[in-house]
Amino acid sequence: MRAVAVYPTKREVRVIDHPEPKLTSDTQAKVRVLDVGVCGTDREIISFQYGTPPEGSDYLIIGHESLSEVVETGSKVSKLKRGDLVVMTVRRPCPHPECVACRQGRQDFCYTGDFTERGIKQDHGYMTEFVVEEEQYLHPVPRELRNVAVLVEPLTIAEKSLEQLWMVQRRLPWDCPGANQSPAQCRRAIVLGAGPVGILGAMALKVEGFEVSVYSRSPNHEEKNRILGAIGIPYIAAETHSTADMAKMAGPIDVVYEATGASSVAFDVLKHLGPNAVFIFTGVPGRKAPIPVDTDEIMRNMVLNNQLVLGSVNAPPQAFESAIQHLGAFARQWPDALRSVITDRFPLDRVADALQEQAGGVKNVVSVAS
Ligand code: BGC
Ligand code: ZN
């Protein structure tokens, strides 16, 4: 079968012929891959800055944002049948008995660092025709979401962040003054970045009830502005508004969902948080030259305002479940805006074009089964 492989030592990326996988246990399912999304992590892997092939292999099959269709099930597979649409999780547990996180299925919190990630770290990914996987890592998706379900995985980044946010804010009285309101309904959230993770995160915060604005320095932002405008989220351009302007426009900030990996903007925004705010980092910055930061100002504000900074990576199974629920809600409320998050689709033989970032685009998808 065909697969998109990265050879880090040879510095090559190409479509290869890879053996088609077979079921090796009765708890597994075999799936035909339909769609694979391309993200910043993939772009780092294909430029040989990130990613590790499985042990004994000189290449890594990339792709971790996927939608597939079940074609075969082992005899102990109970929740899936042939024809079901599924999204696969990314991270697999480390083998160490003392890692309480991995032993409880929370490899997103692995202590040892010896986890693997499909398409990223020591495990082949999904940009290929067929995959075999344990049922526990497959999440069924309703047929209505066929055209957008490849967005489930990037949305899980926000879902885990939201889970963490609700948990950490139990540290204080965080209810709204009015009765019967979700705490979100009187809170303001700022999303940093208008890439797919930012836009999907903004949608999730919005359906939860937050008043959301997106602050971003995307060049050619007309399309992003249009998508966000259609769902009632203001886009504040960093080119024309400083972080101080943004903070003044938005009002006291309760939550920041960072989805850019740009540390200079992030630390600038950190100065403008409101009382008891939570700042969530999800972007992974590249290594650049150090920048000056007024650490006294940040530390003073953080202490005097009980603020919290939280990093979040990867996502647990329940985040995939909530992402599937939320994606359904987005599709009902904002069908056109949601569809526009996918800028373009490419067949596998045009993967090179898919891997290229388009000016002003949001998400490229490789339609493997087309
Ligand atoms: C993926 C995560 C993964 C992270 C770090 C992201 O692009 O969505 O699942 O944990 O990269 O490798
Ligand atoms: Zn672990």
Side-chain angles (χ1 to χ4, degrees):
M1 64 176 185
R2 292 178 306 156
V4 179
V6 175
Y7 293 77
T9 39
K10 286 196 272 180
R11 296 176 80 85
E12 262 179 44
V13 182
R14 57 191 168 87
V15 178
I16 60 162
D17 190 39
H18 182 83
E20 192 174 312
K22 291 188 180 65
L23 298 190
T24 54
S25 100
D26 43 19
T27 51
Q28 292 173 336
K30 180 173 174 180
V31 303
R32 179 198 312 280
V33 180
L34 303 173
D35 289 342
V36 180
V38 174
C39 82
T41 303
D42 301 306
R43 296 200 171 99
E44 281 196 4
I45 299 173
I46 60 157
S47 54
F48 320 107
Q49 300 167 49
Y50 194 59
T52 318
E55 230 170 79
S57 168
D58 56 348
Y59 61 87
L60 171 74
I61 299 176
I62 59 170
H64 59 276
E65 303 180 357
S66 66
L67 172 69
S68 307
E69 185 174 53
V70 175
V71 290
E72 194 186 340
T73 54
S75 61
K76 292 216 176 92
V77 168
S78 59
K79 293 190 276 307
L80 295 172
K81 57 177 189 321
R82 214 185 137 85
D84 284 353
L85 292 181
V86 290
V87 171
M88 293 178 273
T89 63
V90 178
R91 194 177 280 196
R92 303 290 172 263
C94 78
H96 307 291
E98 73 278 10
C99 183
V100 290
C102 285
R103 301 293 67 77
Q104 291 177 40
R106 288 303 303 255
Q107 45 269 26
D108 58 312
F109 281 114
C110 177
Y111 282 94
T112 68
D114 289 338
F115 58 82
T116 60
E117 286 181 341
R118 296 208 66 160
I120 303 175
K121 183 176 182 280
Q122 296 165 307
D123 201 352
H124 287 312
Y126 308 136
M127 219 179 262
T128 183
E129 293 176 78
F130 295 97
V131 171
V132 164
E133 189 46 281
E134 293 292 327
E135 179 182 23
Q136 59 168 311
Y137 301 127
L138 304 177
H139 292 269
V141 176
R143 266 286 151 189
E144 308 87 84
L145 298 179
R146 162 67 185 88
N147 292 326
V148 288
V150 69
L151 300 174
V152 166
E153 197 280 342
L155 177 57
T156 61
I157 306 301
E159 301 295 344
K160 174 175 171 184
S161 298
L162 273 168
E163 174 206 65
Q164 298 289 296
L165 174 68
W166 292 125
M167 288 177 81
V168 298
Q169 289 307 70
R170 282 161 56 184
R171 69 196 172 116
L172 54 88
W174 212 50
D175 319 295
C176 291
N180 295 327
Q181 273 188 319
S182 144
Q185 282 170 287
C186 57
R187 308 276 171 221
R188 242 180 233 107
I190 299 293
V191 173
L192 300 183
V197 175
I199 292 179
L200 292 167
M203 289 178 169
L205 286 158
K206 177 93 180 172
V207 296
E208 288 286 300
F210 287 95
E211 189 183 323
V212 187
S213 308
V214 170
Y215 183 69
S216 173
R217 57 172 184 202
S218 316
N220 309 99
H221 60 243
E222 297 73 19
E223 175 65 1
K224 295 166 176 183
N225 199 349
R226 194 187 61 74
I227 296 173
L228 292 164
I231 62 182
I233 296 178
Y235 178 98
I236 307 173
E239 295 89 327
T240 46
H241 297 79
S242 68
T243 54
D245 297 339
M246 179 273 285
K248 225 176 276 145
M249 282 166 73
I253 302 170
D254 298 292
V255 178
V256 176
Y257 178 65
E258 181 280 328
T260 64
S263 64
S264 57
V265 181
F267 279 84
D268 237 9
V269 173
L270 207 45
K271 289 189 253 188
H272 301 292
L273 297 184
N276 309 324
V278 181
F279 188 112
I280 306 167
F281 279 112
T282 74
V284 183
R287 290 188 198 286
K288 291 181 224 78
I291 49 157
V293 176
D294 186 346
T295 50
D296 280 348
E297 185 183 5
I298 292 176
M299 186 166 163
R300 187 185 314 118
N301 283 347
M302 286 197 68
V303 171
L304 296 177
N305 291 295
N306 297 292
Q307 292 156 350
L308 190 68
V309 173
L310 176 81
S312 180
V313 70
N314 198 252
Q318 61 267 33
F320 280 76
E321 295 301 324
S322 32
I324 292 162
Q325 294 297 319
H326 265 158
L327 207 65
F330 305 168
R332 283 188 296 276
Q333 291 183 46
W334 314 302
D336 297 332
L338 181 61
R339 255 193 311 267
S340 315
V341 174
I342 298 176
T343 308
D344 238 324
R345 290 175 180 272
F346 300 83
L348 195 59
D349 52 22
R350 282 188 58 211
V351 66
D353 297 325
L355 292 169
Q356 220 138 78
E357 208 163 352
Q358 277 155 293
V362 189
K363 169 72 71 190
N364 280 350
V365 169
V366 177
S367 294
V368 178
S370 73

